[in-house]
Amino acid sequence: CWATFEKMVAKEKERMQRKQKMLDKKASCESGKACHGHGQGTFFSKCDLEWNCKTSCTCKCNFGYGGKRCEILGTCPNTKGIEGL
């Protein structure tokens, strides 16, 4: 009985570690850290009951930044509108 209990405790510990890993990814994404500090991250995850998760972080870059993780400075889509001023 004790051996079964120890296995259950070890399994629960692993499950909680997976949960914490997912929560850490969420915090990193939403803090903007995943977007190099130049945008806001939107986090998405899909987890099963054992906290096996598929996650993604999508960045909405601040003005003047681009790239998948807002790592590129000076990406302006169109500057022709200000030439005549």
Side-chain angles (χ1 to χ4, degrees), residues 61-80:
C61 300
N62 296 336
F63 182 79
Y65 289 89
K68 190 172 183 177
R69 297 284 180 222
C70 306
E71 70 277 11
I72 302 169
L73 176 62
T75 57
C76 296
N78 185 1
T79 57
K80 293 180 181 178

Side-chain angles (χ1 to χ4, degrees), residues 23-59:
L23 292 173
D24 292 345
K25 285 182 180 181
K26 182 180 192 295
S28 177
C29 176
E30 292 178 348
S31 72
K33 186 177 181 181
C35 305
H36 293 93
H38 303 296
Q40 181 64 41
T42 302
F43 185 78
F44 174 79
S45 68
K46 185 173 184 177
C47 305
D48 63 15
L49 295 175
E50 295 296 315
W51 288 98
N52 295 306
C53 302
K54 293 184 179 181
T55 63
S56 66
C57 181
T58 304
C59 294

